[in-house]
Amino acid sequence: MALPSEVVNQAFCVVSALDGGHITAPEDLFITNPVPDYSNRITLPSLCFLIQHSTNGHKFLFDLGIPPNLDSYPPAVQKMIANPSTSVDATHHCVDSLAKGNTRPEDIDYVCISHIHWDHTGDPSAFTKATFISNEAVRPFLAEGYPTKPDAAHFSDLYPMDRTRFLDFTECPTIGPFPRGHDFYGDGSLYIIDSPGHLPGHINVLARTSPDGAWIYLAGDSTHHWKIITGESSIKVGAPWDPTWCLHIDKNLAEKHIDHIRELLKISRVRVLIAHELDWYADNKGGSVFWPGSIPSL
C-alpha cells in the first residue's frame, strides 16, 4: 500500500483551494443518519484546486465548480435546482477565485474535471489555451449528453475535443491502495487516479506536496460527506421521489473506492479532501489555504 518513493531532486506540487460555488440541500440526501429532520439543509462548497508544479511551473486545475451562468444549463439541471429544498449560489466561482491571485483562465495549462456533473464542470469555454484531461470511459457517456438526449443533465460538447486528452487506464499500474493510476508528468509528482463508482469516468488526483514524502489526495465526489469515510455513516439509498435513488451510479464500486481512500489515510503525511467537504471549508473559508495562498504540506 506504500506510495511511490521520492527520488533525488524530486518534483512536487503546490496546491491551493479555489471557491467554486455552493449547493444547499437536505443532509438526508447524502448520509443514512442525518439530523432527524428532512428539512435540515446543509450548504456544501464545490471546491476546485489549483496545482502548480515545482519545476516546470505548469498550472493544473482540478475541477471548475458550479457554472456562473446557471440559466445556460440543460433543462434537467435547471429543473433540479428549482426544487424548493435545493438552492445554488455561484456568486463565487472558479474564474473569480483565480483572479484573486491575478491568474487568468488563459494562464492555465491543464484542466482536469473529476466528472461531468454540472457542479464540477464550471465554464470550460473560459479556458481557451488549456489542455483538458479526462478519462476514456467518459466518451460514451458524453455521446448521450444534451441536446442529443433532451433529458440529459450534461452537455455532449462539454470538452474542446481538439484540446482534450482522454486517459486510458487499462494499462496503468497500481498506485498505493488504488488499482489504477497515471503518472501525469512522468516524475512522480502528480497521479491521476481511476475512481469508479460515482459516475463513468470519475477520476481523482494524488499530488506529492513535498520532496520528502507528503501528499494530498483530491477525492472529487468519491463521497459527499466525510462521515462516510470515517465509517460514522453510509451512502444513502432512496429519496422521497424514488426509493432506489443514489448519488452514485454504482454504489458497490463507490464503496470499494472509499475503502481504498481509508487505506490511504493510514499512510502518514497524507491529506484527503473531498469536493464538498463542509467542515474543512467552514474552518478555512477566506483563509490562507485559498489562492493566492496554498494548502500546507503535512
Side-chain angles (χ1 to χ4, degrees), residues 112-286:
C112 179
I113 298 174
S114 63
H115 63 293
I116 59 176
H117 276 157
W118 63 276
D119 55 321
H120 295 260
T121 56
D123 179 13
S125 68
F127 299 89
T128 56
K129 297 183 178 179
T131 297
F132 283 71
I133 307 300
S134 187
N135 188 333
E136 183 65 35
V138 168
R139 282 187 192 264
F141 199 53
L142 281 175
E144 298 179 353
Y146 181 85
T148 304
K149 292 185 68 174
D151 61 345
H154 63 278
F155 286 117
S156 58
D157 61 350
L158 176 69
Y159 291 102
M161 300 302 285
D162 60 333
R163 289 187 286 117
T164 300
R165 284 175 55 188
F166 290 93
L167 303 179
D168 185 351
F169 286 92
T170 55
E171 301 296 327
C172 286
T174 296
I175 302 296
F178 303 106
R180 293 168 297 277
H182 174 78
D183 186 350
F184 184 73
Y185 287 113
D187 59 8
S189 64
L190 181 69
Y191 295 88
I192 313 297
I193 304 296
D194 187 28
S195 309
H198 178 58
L199 200 70
H202 185 233
I203 49 181
N204 294 171
V205 162
L206 175 68
R208 191 187 297 269
T209 56
S210 78
D212 65 345
W215 300 83
I216 191 169
Y217 188 77
L218 306 176
D221 273 7
S222 298
T223 180
H224 299 74
H225 205 295
W226 191 255
K227 285 184 177 180
I228 294 174
I229 292 180
T230 63
E232 298 171 76
S233 190
S234 302
I235 294 171
K236 177 68 182 293
V237 175
W241 62 88
D242 181 356
T244 66
W245 176 89
C246 181
L247 280 166
H248 302 282
I249 197 167
D250 189 322
K251 178 175 175 285
N252 290 334
L253 274 180
E255 289 174 332
K256 288 180 181 178
H257 182 60
I258 291 168
D259 284 341
H260 297 323
I261 295 174
R262 292 191 185 110
E263 290 298 316
L264 183 69
L265 283 168
K266 296 176 182 178
I267 303 172
S268 63
R269 302 182 69 192
V270 178
R271 187 192 305 277
V272 174
L273 291 176
I274 59 177
H276 302 296
E277 177 44 54
L278 175 60
D279 291 341
W280 186 87
Y281 180 80
D283 290 341
N284 291 280
K285 180 181 178 181

Side-chain angles (χ1 to χ4, degrees), residues 16 18 48-52 57-64 94-99 101-113 123-124 126-133 163 184-185 291:
S16 304
L18 300 168
C48 318
F49 299 91
L50 174 63
I51 303 170
Q52 298 184 88
H58 284 175
K59 290 179 170 58
F60 181 110
L61 275 187
F62 182 59
D63 274 346
L64 299 179
C94 181
V95 173
D96 280 350
S97 296
L98 286 169
N102 296 316
T103 302
R104 305 165 301 170
E106 54 264 39
D107 297 329
I108 301 301
D109 298 287
Y110 296 100
V111 172
C112 179
I113 298 174
D123 179 13
F127 299 89
T128 56
K129 297 183 178 179
T131 297
F132 283 71
I133 307 300
R163 289 187 286 117
F184 184 73
Y185 287 113
W291 181 244

